[in-house]
Structure formats: C-alpha cells, structure tokens
Amino acid sequence: MKISVIGSGYVGLVSGACFTDFGHHVICADVDASKIEALNSGKIPIYEPGLEQIVSRNSNNGTLSFTTDVEAAVRETDVVFIAVGTPSRRGDGHADLSYVYAAARTIAKAMKGYTVVVNKSTVPVGTGDEVERIIRETNPNADFSVVSNPEFLREGAAIEDFKRPDRIVVGVEDERAKAAMEEVYRPLFLNQSPLLFVNRRTSELIKYAANGFLAMKITFINEMADLCESVGANVQDVARGIGLDNRIGSKFLNAGPGYGGSCFPKDTLALAKTAQDYDHPVRLIETTIAINDNRKRAMARRVIAACDGDVRGKKIAILGLTFKPNTDDMRDAPSISIIQALQDAGADIHAYDPEGMEEAKKLLGNVTYCDNAYSVAENADALVIVTEWDAFRALDLSRLKASMKSHNLIDLRNIYRKDYIEKAGFQYISVGRP
Ligand code: NAD
C-alpha cells in the first residue's frame, strides 16, 4: 500500500518507519523544513532506541521518503495518516486542533481518487466529524473516508509498542475504510494482535479514557506513597501487594514525582474539558489533575526539607531531566516544575541528563548543565534523582561522597535501597518508604 504520514514527530516518524517494515511504501511529510532536511541526510531528530536503524534501512531501499511537500505526498498515496501535534490550547486547556484542521484542508486540496484519511493524533470526540466536514467543504467532489486510529506507543519503547501492540483501535464508519485499515495492519493482524473495530467517536474516546485511567493509577499510588510515609508503611510493598491482583495489575504503580510528558498532562486536561462541555464532568480526572499539579512542587519542598529547610545559595544537583528514561522529550517533564520551585527558593541548579539536555536548555534558564553524574554532584549540597535512567542505578557512592559538600541523596524514583545508601554515609530520602 502507499501511505503518507502528515507530521513526522514522535508518532508520525515511528509509525511511518514501522509501516515500511510492514511492507508498505511510506512518505513522511512535515512542514518543519529543518526536520525533513535532517531526515533526508540520515539524521533522526528525536532520541528513540531502534528508530535510526529502521529509518536508514527503509530509506536506503527506497520504501521510506521524506518531504515538506505535503500535497505531493497526499496525491501519491491511498491512505493518509494525520500525526500532527494536539497540544493544550493556551488559556483553556482544550486540545488545540488547529494543526489537525490545517492538515485536513491540505489533504482535501491534494487528494486524488478514493482516499482514507486516518487520524492518529489524539483528538477529542467529534474531531473526525469535523475533519470530514472540512474536507467536504474544501473539496466537495472528494471520494474519501475519515478513520480514527489512536496511537498508544510509549516513548522509549515506541518501536516495540508499534510492532507488538496490546491492541490496535480503529474507529470506522464504512466498510471500504475498514478493509483499507485491515490491509494497513495486515502483518499485525496475522500476528494475532487484537484489532478492535469500533465507531469513530468511541475510538476517539478510548484514547483519552486509557490515558486518563493510567494517569489516575499513577496518582493513586502517589497518594498511597504519602500515606505510607505517615503510617510507616512501604509503598513498593503496597504496590506489589495490590498489583499481583490481576484485576489491578502491577504496571503504573511506581510512586514518584508525578506524571508528566507529552501526553498525560494535556490529555487528562482535554478529557476533563470535553466532559465539562457535555455536562458530564469526570471528577476523578479533574482531581487527578489537581493532585498531580501540586505534587511536583511538593517534591521540591522535600528537597528543601532535606537541606535543613533552606536552599538559598545552595548547589542542588539534578540527575535526570526528561519525563522518563530513554527519550529526549522534555514536554511537561516533572523536572521543570521541581527545578523552578527550587530556583524560586534560591537554589543554584546544576543538572545532567543523558539525552534530554538540548531540549531542556530551551525550557529551563539559569541551570548549569554538566557532562555526567559525577561532575554535576561536585560540591553539591544535595543530589536529586528525578528520572530513573539506567546510568543512575549503580552510581559510585564513595566517589560521590568524596566530591559532594553535604551528603543528601533524594531519590524521587526509589531506585536505591535505604540501608545501602545510608551505609555509604548519605542521608537518604525517597518516596513512600519508611
Ligand atoms: P510532535 O510534536 O513530535 O510531532 C508533530 C509534527 O507535526 C511536528 O513535526 C510538526 O512540525 C508537524 N506538523 C504540524 N502541523 C503540520 C501540518 N499541517 N502538516 C505537516 N506537518 C505538520 O508530536 P507527537 O509527539 O508525535 O504527537 C502527535 C500526536 O500523537 C499528538 O496528538 C499526541 O497526543 C499523539 N500521541 C503522542 C504520543 C507520544 O508518545 N509522543 C503517543 C501517542 C499519541
């Protein structure tokens, strides 16, 4: 099949590259000329394990190409995926659909013959209807179907998630589009990945319901962590104790500094807004958002408390900036709020992240960026683990102890054991453990 993908960011690029591995011909288009120039010269604009090999293999064999000419990409293909951003709209928190609608207008002008327009971006219920209306208005004679196919990949494990998904959700309103989508996902279908066909509005809501639920699960264990600290219980044991129950499941039960990233914060907000618009507020999600927002600054207060209640003029070393390991994505990372709160309290912030520093520099001012976990800790009053990169799991504690000014280790991801760290001569503070 000939497929084009409009928007070559995390989702567009991973989807496009994996579709070529499924045997399709793919053109990835983007309005960002520097991104396309990089891709055309063999550079991957994001950090995603395994992506570079797939992109280079399929670019070299001619099945994957990149262009800024979005209309040309659409003209040459039967199935067009929209994978543009849907950030929070400034001011009210609704999903900003302007990129989706701009893509729909471009597609409408360029489409030739029967075209399946597939929305892979995360969009509120009813967006497919509006995309259909825009295309019909722009090109009244167009022969097309609009499909919803939300993406569930996780950054850092995106290739694996795309090729071996728990399920593929497809929202269709007609048989022709259904047949086309079966063809797109044929290799996964043959692998027996569940392919769930539902109506378009249901498909759109499934994506938000999934992210809302996961955000709520994280927030639940974070609240349990706080309670554990008050009652002398251990949140990791609580998580294991409840997670072994199949009805609950063990994933997303790691207590930490609160969820962040490019999806959960904006998607929970958009879900809450949609529900309010329909006069059915989802209070669990509204509360989840409020708890999570407070939590990040609460983590900064934890660091301040470890430094005898005052960080003014003190050097705080931050390990990990991205919202999770194995990505360079800094969008809504908890580190941003934590660092800003510490700066507000007068701290001198030094930071190191294996992949996220270039992105972090665009968002965080007045931070000294360091080369590794040891240089960041030199002369520091506290070392704070914010992201659980593997590289931080086996730090040389005697080396750190020799170079730090005060021996405070605040582990917001619970990657160390208290007795191990205390034996090395540190004051150790973690999350939800006695
Ligand atoms: P991104 O910002 O990395 O990429 C979006 C790309 O679209 C950018 O490169 C931008 O230049 C391009 N673009 C915008 N308007 C365009 C237009 N009119 N024509 C062509 N290109 C255009 O975003 P992302 O993280 O890939 O997310 C895309 C969508 O997928 C969002 O709705 C997001 O919520 C959803 N999603 C993201 C993830 C994730 O982990 N990042 C996972 C699942 C779903």
Side-chain angles (χ1 to χ4, degrees):
M1 274 186 127
K2 287 189 172 167
I3 294 175
S4 53
V5 183
I6 315 302
S8 305
Y10 282 85
V11 166
L13 186 55
V14 168
S15 308
C18 291
F19 283 144
T20 48
D21 265 2
F22 292 176
H24 303 304
H25 278 72
V26 180
I27 309 174
C28 285
D30 204 291
V31 289
D32 182 340
S34 63
K35 202 171 264 188
I36 295 301
E37 197 181 302
L39 286 163
N40 274 327
S41 57
K43 293 192 198 88
I44 307 293
I46 53 171
Y47 175 77
E48 182 60 49
L51 182 59
E52 192 168 357
Q53 292 86 322
I54 301 182
V55 169
S56 91
R57 183 170 67 242
N58 292 299
S59 302
N60 290 340
N61 70 21
T63 54
L64 180 63
S65 59
F66 303 99
T67 182
T68 51
D69 190 343
V70 182
E71 290 195 29
V74 171
R75 255 194 310 274
E76 288 173 35
T77 49
D78 323 303
V79 180
V80 182
F81 279 84
I82 299 175
V84 300
T86 49
S88 276
R89 194 163 63 188
R90 218 175 266 262
D92 66 4
H94 273 286
D96 177 354
L97 296 172
S98 57
Y99 304 100
V100 172
Y101 294 154
R105 276 186 280 276
T106 308
I107 293 167
K109 281 186 245 159
M111 54 171 53
K112 284 241 152 46
Y114 176 63
T115 306
V116 182
V117 179
V118 188
N119 201 356
K120 207 169 233 329
S121 298
T122 302
V123 293
V125 171
T127 304
D129 302 355
E130 183 59 13
V131 165
E132 192 172 293
R133 195 195 61 74
I134 289 171
I135 296 176
R136 176 109 24 245
E137 181 185 84
T138 314
N139 183 351
N141 298 320
D143 183 17
F144 69 101
S145 304
V146 174
V147 172
S148 159
N149 173 218
E151 183 49 57
F152 298 95
L153 63 78
R154 295 162 302 165
E155 287 177 18
I159 306 293
E160 177 70 13
D161 285 349
F162 198 90
K163 291 189 170 181
R164 271 172 279 279
D166 290 340
R167 80 307 205 182
I168 304 143
V169 173
V170 182
V172 280
E173 299 292 323
D174 63 89
E175 283 302 316
R176 263 205 304 182
K178 183 169 184 253
M181 294 306 288
E182 277 170 349
E183 190 58 29
V184 167
Y185 284 108
R186 180 181 297 277
L188 297 187
F189 194 50
L190 295 176
N191 270 348
Q192 304 202 319
S193 297
L195 191 51
L196 187 66
F197 283 103
V198 295
N199 74 34
R200 207 164 53 201
R201 285 180 164 244
T202 305
S203 168
E204 289 167 341
L205 188 55
I206 285 173
K207 174 65 191 178
Y208 282 104
N211 277 359
F213 192 87
L214 293 172
M216 202 170 62
K217 200 170 174 190
I218 293 170
T219 305
F220 176 83
I221 204 65
N222 284 339
E223 291 233 286
M224 285 301 121
D226 290 352
L227 183 57
C228 282
E229 286 172 15
S230 299
V231 303
N234 182 325
V235 75
Q236 285 179 311
D237 293 336
V238 171
R240 192 164 151 74
I242 63 173
L244 285 168
D245 184 330
N246 283 332
R247 294 169 301 177
I248 295 173
S250 59
K251 292 183 180 157
F252 279 75
L253 287 179
N254 294 319
Y259 63 79
S262 62
C263 292
F264 288 178
K266 78 172 177 64
D267 291 349
T268 45
L269 208 52
L271 174 58
K273 293 290 170 189
T274 300
Q276 285 164 10
D277 284 352
Y278 282 83
D279 210 14
H280 283 287
V282 279
R283 298 215 172 77
L284 284 171
I285 299 300
E286 290 172 2
T287 305
T288 296
I289 295 166
I291 295 170
N292 194 64
D293 283 349
N294 287 334
R295 184 162 188 85
K296 297 171 198 167
R297 290 187 87 87
M299 292 298 115
R301 289 196 292 276
R302 190 174 287 240
V303 176
I304 295 168
C307 297
D308 299 325
D310 184 11
V311 289
R312 188 156 301 279
K314 290 185 179 166
K315 175 176 170 180
I316 306 297
I318 304 285
L319 280 185
L321 294 165
T322 51
F323 77 100
K324 65 175 177 179
N326 296 323
T327 180
D328 60 352
D329 201 337
M330 279 295 298
R331 288 177 283 184
D332 267 318
S335 64
I336 298 171
S337 308
I338 294 171
I339 287 173
Q340 284 168 344
L342 289 169
Q343 287 176 329
D344 289 346
D348 173 22
I349 302 291
H350 292 236
Y352 168 68
D353 187 281
E355 295 293 338
M357 292 198 290
E358 284 314 306
E359 289 302 311
K361 284 175 191 167
K362 299 175 193 165
L363 299 168
L364 285 164
N366 276 331
V367 171
T368 306
Y369 292 93
C370 302
D371 292 339
N372 59 57
Y374 299 99
S375 58
V376 79
E378 268 168 34
N379 262 324
D381 292 278
L383 183 63
V384 187
I385 298 172
V386 180
T387 316
E388 68 278 33
W389 285 90
D390 277 348
F392 304 153
R393 287 179 187 274
L395 294 168
D396 180 342
L397 295 178
S398 49
R399 186 172 165 194
L400 286 175
K401 179 142 187 275
S403 74
M404 284 176 69
K405 191 165 159 198
S406 306
H407 304 118
N408 294 308
L409 179 54
I410 297 106
D411 176 3
L412 300 182
R413 300 289 182 173
N414 290 348
I415 61 175
Y416 283 100
R417 278 200 339 263
K418 186 180 168 81
D419 54 348
Y420 174 74
I421 299 289
E422 285 183 347
K423 219 158 97 191
F426 285 82
Q427 179 194 204
Y428 180 68
I429 289 159
S430 60
V431 179
R433 299 189 297 179

